[in-house]
Amino acid sequence: MTDVDRSSAQEYSLDRDCTTLSRHVLQELQSFSAEAQDLSAVMNRIALAAKLISRRLSRAGLVEGALGFTGTVNVQGESVKRMDIYANDVFISVFKQSGLVCRLASEEMEKPYYIPENCPIGRYTLLYDPIDGSSNVDINLNVGSIFSIRRQEGDDLDGNARDLLQHGRNQIAAGYILYGPSTMLVYSMGKGVHSFTLDPSLGEFILNNENIRVPDHGPIYSVNEGNFWQWEESIRDYIRYVHRHEGYTARYSGALVGDFHRILMQGGVFLYPGTVKKPEGKLRLLYETAPLAFLMEQAGGRASTGTQDLLDVVPEALHARTPLVIGSKEDVALVESFIQEGARESQETAMTRS
Ligand code: FBP
């Protein structure tokens, strides 16, 4: 290797090592304006929350009271894990005394949380799922955090956050943190999807993959088949199709972030359909499905409720749920075609009966 090669390789790895999240955000925004600096600072605080949660998870088995249930039930009617509360409080703490985020809304809080010292100057609202895949926490399997940044509009005096009931295309930025063998942060500001790996020796998230593109088709389908008999016939028909056709393989981790990340990197489709009893499904729009839909569309994939683009859905409430079909555009279209066929058949049956 010539000296020139060696120095350019060193220059490259040094430059790569210096491409931290906050620097990348400013590069993305191609601006050093106050707004750009603020957004970079918001992302930096999210990175700090990720480091604190990653540290807690990595030692949870050794820390008294880090695992298990709190004994309470949250606004979703779910039993709350201690890690859910720890992570929820971490996101609030990192934004105190920041002047950045005036309001935080999360899966664990019925109403948004206001940081008085940040209002009204704080331009942004953070919506987040502090621990996604809670059922995996106590058994040391991968979990995640999901976040969405929206503009703070109006004063929301009654605290019902009605100004947040907007479609997902109004998100300024979105992303997730995957707490796996390494801790990764994946985000988009509407200009492509980029991933960072936490380098514990530096304590920094360093860029490892820029402008991620999802394949148009992939072999993976990811769904909880345990719900098979609760689904509409059309979804059951889609699952029968992938069972009978070569080239499909099932993967389901029980944590949306982990399953989503696999699809983003390898292609395929993740589904959490509605059931006959709960047609709206389980996953929450504003801080679970809309942020991931924003990323998937940025990566060249698609996100659907089965009948419409998920980013066009306007929620009726802060904790509204939606069915989710997300991933490679050909695979999402295939699922939608089964749903359309099912709708056409039930319409035909209804007409013959009438
Ligand atoms: P939490 O955010 O409360 O963990 O709920 C969401 C979730 O755990 C997703 O991560 C996952 O895809 C799904 O629910 C698993 O649900 P099920 O156990 O019904 O398959």
Side-chain angles (χ1 to χ4, degrees), residues 78 107 129 132-134 224 252 254-256 272 282 284 288:
E78 294 161 347
E107 180 180 313
D129 179 359
D132 166 69
S134 306
N224 182 348
Y252 191 74
L256 171 61
Y272 205 106
K282 173 184 182 178
R284 282 56 57 142
E288 285 180 320

Side-chain angles (χ1 to χ4, degrees), residues 74 76 78-79 84 107-108 129-137 142-144 146 222-227 252-259 270-272 282-284 287-288 321 324:
N74 65 15
Q76 327 285 344
E78 294 161 347
S79 303
D84 291 326
E107 180 180 313
E108 299 305 331
D129 179 359
I131 292 286
D132 166 69
S134 306
S135 60
N136 284 0
V137 166
N142 77 67
V143 292
I146 307 173
S222 183
V223 66
N224 182 348
E225 293 201 34
N227 299 334
Y252 191 74
S253 76
L256 171 61
V257 164
D259 292 324
F270 173 94
L271 304 92
Y272 205 106
K282 173 184 182 178
L283 302 175
R284 282 56 57 142
Y287 43 78
E288 285 180 320
R321 301 170 192 252
L324 178 67

